[in-house]
Amino acid sequence: KEFARLFSNTGATKILTVEASGIALACAAAKYMKIPVVFAKKGMRKNVGDDVYTAASHSFTHDTDYIMTVSREFISANDKVLIIDDFLADGNVVSALLSIIRDAGAKNVGIGVAIEKGFQHGGKFLRQQGCNLRSLAIIESMSDAGIVFRHEDC
């Protein structure tokens, strides 16, 4: 519900996420926004077909490189796309999704993440690029003593 509230004025026509952990959040937001979800697959898969948008990404969490793929039939130049994901660290996955949106000729209208790792540079980088980034929680630091959250209007 919160993502729907935060991005209700963007005119989003589709939500884009990446498999697998972003799908649940994207579907929940899509339910309240009444728009479809498209998800990028990590790698080339037979069930996606050959006519795809692709973008390279490095996952900080898994320390793995991926080629994100989305079938061209699901995003077009007429779309206003909202990206929803679970975590934001270095911003590599979101940057790959932004690249796919650009390649489709579509417009990105926002980026919603559940948890932003504020001690990494992804959020700062995306905001400097002019992205409409909204995080439900921003972790400022983590240590054995605990987790410190940034207190601001996220």
Side-chain angles (χ1 to χ4, degrees), residues 8 41 45 48 51-52 55 57 71 92-93 95 101 108 112 132:
S8 63
K41 293 205 173 218
R45 307 277 172 74
V48 176
D51 194 18
V52 295
S57 174
S71 177
N92 295 322
V93 170
S95 292
I101 292 167
N108 173 251
N132 177 18

Side-chain angles (χ1 to χ4, degrees), residues 13-14 53 72 74-81 100-108:
T13 59
K14 290 191 179 152
Y53 299 110
R72 290 179 183 264
F74 296 121
I75 300 179
S76 75
N78 298 323
D79 287 314
K80 294 179 180 178
V81 183
I100 288 170
I101 292 167
R102 277 190 305 274
D103 289 349
K107 179 181 179 187
N108 173 251

Side-chain angles (χ1 to χ4, degrees), residues 134-145:
R134 304 300 298 267
S135 302
L136 301 184
I138 301 175
I139 297 174
E140 194 62 44
S141 64
M142 294 189 312
S143 68
D144 291 340

Side-chain angles (χ1 to χ4, degrees), residues 73-152:
E73 70 182 284
F74 296 121
I75 300 179
S76 75
N78 298 323
D79 287 314
K80 294 179 180 178
V81 183
L82 170 62
I83 294 172
I84 299 285
D85 206 2
D86 56 349
F87 282 92
L88 175 64
D90 286 338
N92 295 322
V93 170
V94 170
S95 292
L97 295 176
L98 288 168
S99 177
I100 288 170
I101 292 167
R102 277 190 305 274
D103 289 349
K107 179 181 179 187
N108 173 251
V109 295
I111 302 163
V113 296
I115 300 172
E116 178 181 337
K117 297 176 182 178
F119 54 90
Q120 292 181 269
H121 71 274
K124 181 178 180 182
F125 171 77
L126 292 167
R127 287 181 182 94
Q128 287 174 342
Q129 301 304 309
C131 294
N132 177 18
L133 171 63
R134 304 300 298 267
S135 302
L136 301 184
I138 301 175
I139 297 174
E140 194 62 44
S141 64
M142 294 189 312
S143 68
D144 291 340
I147 297 174
V148 176
F149 291 93
R150 185 180 302 165
H151 297 283
E152 62 181 43

Side-chain angles (χ1 to χ4, degrees), residues 3 15-29 37-39 42 83-87 112:
F3 285 133
I15 292 176
L16 178 61
T17 191
V18 65
E19 68 173 352
S21 52
I23 295 173
L25 289 170
C27 287
V37 173
V38 175
F39 66 91
K42 297 174 184 173
I83 294 172
I84 299 285
D85 206 2
D86 56 349
F87 282 92

Side-chain angles (χ1 to χ4, degrees), residues 23-77:
I23 295 173
L25 289 170
C27 287
K31 173 186 173 185
Y32 291 102
M33 297 179 80
K34 297 178 174 50
I35 58 176
V37 173
V38 175
F39 66 91
K41 293 205 173 218
K42 297 174 184 173
M44 299 297 288
R45 307 277 172 74
K46 290 179 185 179
N47 62 347
V48 176
D50 296 328
D51 194 18
V52 295
Y53 299 110
T54 62
S57 174
H58 179 79
S59 169
F60 176 84
T61 305
H62 299 288
D63 194 25
T64 304
D65 292 324
Y66 296 104
I67 299 295
M68 303 290 178
T69 60
V70 175
S71 177
R72 290 179 183 264
E73 70 182 284
F74 296 121
I75 300 179
S76 75

